Amino acid sequence: MQVPIFQGNGVLEYMARPRPQPQQPDDVVVKIAACGICGTDLNILATPPAHKATPGITIGHEGIGIVEAIGTGVTAMQPGDRVVIAPRLTCGQCAYCRRGLDNQCSNYQTIGTTLDGAFAPYVRLPARGLFKIGDEVPRDDAVFFEPLSCVVGAAKRAPIQAGDNVLIIGAGPMGLLFALLYRTLGAGKIIVADVAKYRLEFAQEIGVDAVINVAQEDLIARVREITNLGADLVIDAVGNQLDTAAKAARRGGQIVLFGLRPLDNPTVNQYTITRHDLTIHGAFVGLLPFVQTIQLLESRRIQPSVLITHRLPLDQLAHGVDLMRTQQAMKVIIEM
Ligand SMILES: [Zn+2]
Ligand SMILES: [Zn+2]
């Protein structure tokens, strides 16, 4: 098979690789049907890289496929089963794993970052990195399993009441997944803010209640206009918006910090947080959100395929990355 191998420094090189076979008892070989391009992939392929990945692997962690072959020790799935990838493989032995904080494992490996990923026709993965998903979930919804699991995990941190108004700062694919999820969860008004016109128009198309173009409008004033007191819950899907989030939340409201910007040091007016009695949650990839995410997708109450703008073949992976990076696309999936 011809697969794009990550060479470091933003370079992908297509090379011939033998079709993988099970090697260890817990190995599963998956015939990949599709794999979404993630913001993490954009960061891996940036120069200089904004996210570490091991040269020599295939990247891609938002994969859906069919089990092709299993190792001798695999009991949870068999050939023919439809599966999605839960990319973070924890060690089960470190101090955080032993506290039940699997998302903070000190020794994790990640499919598509440190191990071969799903931008390939076939990939060999350990069984514990796979979850079965029902045939009733169309491929283009199932391909959102991993990003949706991060959003489901973050939403667990800040439970909302029916009718709560939610402000989401950042209208990329993750921000809009939050919008879809909170609509399913029974939120009141869902407001989405961004600086990119394309993204805001997209948000309107999927039916959010209001959009705010921060390049042209005063976010705080608009949120007050729409919600009166401020948002009950604010999601920062950007990674440096705590100060704005604190001002946009109503007194006693909640903030979820979800976006990741390791190099930014935003200035925050701490007084607002204290005086307004705000609760702030950091939320990283989610604590064991996988089973609930499968159940949610199988219920069909969330259909994230509305975010797909492009479906490209594997030899156009770099083009798909460009489309997302230049914000000419919302979500691009690669079809094998
Ligand atoms: Zn992802
Ligand atoms: Zn661990």
Side-chain angles (χ1 to χ4, degrees):
M1 57 182 193
Q2 280 294 117
V3 287
I5 305 291
F6 175 61
Q7 305 287 351
N9 257 325
V11 179
L12 288 172
E13 198 176 318
Y14 285 78
M15 298 168 99
R17 283 273 172 98
R19 207 162 114 179
Q21 303 294 333
Q23 285 178 348
Q24 306 296 322
D26 69 335
D27 279 346
V28 175
V29 173
V30 181
K31 182 178 199 288
I32 299 294
C35 182
I37 299 178
C38 177
T40 302
D41 301 319
L42 268 52
N43 288 336
I44 289 171
L45 293 170
T47 40
H51 194 283
K52 261 200 219 160
T54 310
I57 64 158
T58 55
I59 61 170
H61 60 270
E62 297 183 359
I64 156 106
I66 304 285
V67 173
E68 178 83 4
I70 57 173
T72 52
V74 175
T75 53
M77 56 198 73
Q78 46 187 311
D81 282 344
R82 202 158 176 254
V83 289
V84 286
I85 295 174
R88 184 164 291 246
L89 302 174
T90 57
C91 75
Q93 297 179 47
C94 73
Y96 281 114
C97 280
R98 293 200 157 189
R99 279 175 173 256
L101 294 173
D102 79 305
N103 61 339
Q104 298 298 337
C105 172
S106 317
N107 309 309
Y108 66 84
Q109 300 267 356
T110 312
I111 294 162
T113 303
T114 62
L115 301 168
D116 274 337
F119 288 132
Y122 294 87
V123 62
R124 176 176 50 236
L125 301 169
R128 66 198 163 95
L130 294 167
F131 280 78
K132 286 203 270 188
I133 191 161
D135 288 337
E136 66 271 32
V137 188
R139 181 201 71 177
D140 287 0
D141 289 313
V143 79
F144 282 88
F145 165 73
E146 186 274 335
L148 183 62
S149 75
C150 297
V151 167
V152 166
K156 279 197 205 180
R157 298 295 298 273
I160 62 159
Q161 306 296 312
D164 273 356
N165 292 324
V166 179
L167 166 67
I168 298 157
I169 307 176
M174 298 310 282
L176 295 189
L177 275 179
F178 273 108
L180 295 175
L181 180 67
Y182 281 113
R183 190 164 65 189
T184 304
L185 289 175
K189 287 193 176 118
I190 296 174
I191 309 160
V192 170
D194 202 295
V195 290
K197 202 165 154 262
Y198 169 82
R199 290 179 156 190
L200 292 171
E201 284 170 4
F202 204 97
Q204 266 170 326
E205 267 170 45
I206 66 161
V208 304
D209 299 283
V211 297
I212 303 173
N213 187 336
V214 185
Q216 294 164 359
E217 302 171 278
D218 180 338
L219 184 143
I220 313 297
R222 284 276 286 130
V223 170
R224 285 292 161 80
E225 225 176 86
I226 299 162
T227 63
N228 190 22
L229 295 179
D232 298 294
L233 171 67
V234 184
I235 307 289
D236 173 5
V238 178
N240 54 14
Q241 296 293 307
L242 176 54
D243 194 61
T244 304
K247 289 174 183 142
R250 71 155 164 83
R251 297 185 181 206
Q254 304 187 81
I255 297 171
V256 171
L257 302 180
F258 180 82
L260 293 166
R261 299 238 175 177
L263 302 179
D264 287 9
N265 292 295
T267 305
V268 176
N269 181 251
Q270 188 174 325
Y271 171 82
T272 310
I273 297 168
T274 307
R275 180 65 185 81
H276 292 178
D277 233 349
L278 301 178
T279 304
I280 299 172
H281 310 267
F284 178 63
V285 301
L287 190 59
L288 294 173
F290 304 115
V291 172
Q292 281 153 317
T293 305
I294 294 282
Q295 290 176 181
L296 185 59
L297 285 165
E298 288 181 348
S299 79
R300 307 288 293 118
R301 272 192 204 94
I302 187 163
Q303 300 183 8
S305 54
V306 294
L307 302 180
I308 298 175
T309 52
H310 297 73
R311 295 169 182 82
L312 300 174
L314 184 57
D315 60 5
Q316 286 186 40
L317 173 58
H319 176 55
V321 167
D322 268 358
L323 285 172
M324 280 180 67
R325 185 170 281 144
T326 53
Q327 297 188 1
Q328 298 174 69
M330 183 53 70
K331 189 72 172 182
V332 180
I333 65 164
I334 300 296
E335 298 176 312
M336 302 311 149

